[in-house]
Amino acid sequence: MKCAVCSRKAKGFGWFNASIKLGDLNRYSDKLVFCSRRCQNAFSTLMNKTEGQMIDPSEMEMAAMGCCLSPLGEFVGAIGMDRPLASYSREEVMTLIDVVVTAYQEHMTSEHERMAARDLAFLEERLARKSKSSSMGAPF
Ligand SMILES: [Zn+2]
């Protein structure tokens, strides 16, 4: 089982859609599991603020892959750009994988947090505007 946000190993953190009736099998998804409270929070905040509308995951994944390019290039540059992959030691390959996976996971998690925060700010601004206009009274 992979974390739905960052793809690390999921560890018992889940989520269900409270807007779907009890007993409806769509209320729960075995795909909505998370590695940590951080990823669970990022996801559930986003889902609450977007009222269950899922964001396009492929676009976010593509952006996350793009975020791996710079750290990947830095690592390969540091150990020798001209070396063929077959000459890498096991440790160098493991480090290369770690560099890429860490950059990917960090982007996925922080992007979920950023979107959740943006949606929250939008709703708070609307609520503030609403209460401001109602306290000024209505023209007649
Ligand atoms: Zn995670």
Side-chain angles (χ1 to χ4, degrees), residues 3-9 33-36 38-40 109:
C3 175
V5 170
C6 74
S7 299
R8 287 186 189 99
K9 188 173 190 279
V33 291
F34 307 95
C35 68
S36 61
R38 182 183 177 201
C39 285
Q40 184 190 41
T109 304

Side-chain angles (χ1 to χ4, degrees), residues 70-118:
S70 176
L72 172 72
E74 274 174 40
F75 176 72
V76 172
I79 65 167
M81 190 72 83
D82 52 339
R83 286 177 55 202
L85 191 58
S87 77
Y88 286 24
S89 69
R90 178 181 165 79
E91 194 185 328
E92 286 169 334
V93 173
M94 295 300 274
T95 305
L96 176 67
I97 292 168
D98 183 52
V99 163
V100 170
V101 169
T102 301
Y104 184 88
Q105 290 170 336
E106 181 51 38
H107 179 82
M108 290 298 281
T109 304
S110 61
E111 190 66 4
H112 276 77
E113 288 172 339
R114 189 188 65 76
M115 291 180 76
R118 186 197 62 194

